[in-house]
Amino acid sequence: MSRPTISEVNAFLADLQALRESGAGSAEYAALMERKADLMERIAAHAPDDADAAEVARLARERADALKHAN
């Protein structure tokens, strides 16, 4: 699992801002939360001793999975 690049994180944040401004639908939001979960899991994988990173990744994945099943 590769560490996220600065450009990947920047692109995610830009897309999040665009989604907030446009008020896109639930499918777009779910896809964005899937990307967030992926980024958080990749960050946590490169910080195995960081319990906070692992918890953030776990919560992000739970949210993404819940949204996936809701759509």
Side-chain angles (χ1 to χ4, degrees):
M1 192 176 280
S2 65
R3 180 182 298 197
T5 65
I6 295 291
S7 12
E8 285 178 294
V9 174
N10 189 43
F12 168 77
L13 293 173
D15 290 346
L16 178 61
Q17 182 64 33
L19 182 103
R20 286 181 175 164
E21 291 172 358
S22 72
S26 60
E28 292 87 359
Y29 181 71
L32 192 60
M33 292 302 99
E34 179 68 28
R35 282 176 55 201
K36 176 184 177 181
D38 176 65
L39 288 171
M40 296 299 107
E41 288 169 341
R42 290 166 54 200
I43 289 168
H46 286 276
D49 296 330
D50 188 337
D52 290 335
E55 179 67 5
V56 169
R58 184 187 68 76
L59 292 171
R61 175 54 57 204
E62 279 183 12
R63 179 69 175 144
D65 288 349
L67 289 168
K68 187 183 338 180
H69 297 316
N71 284 326

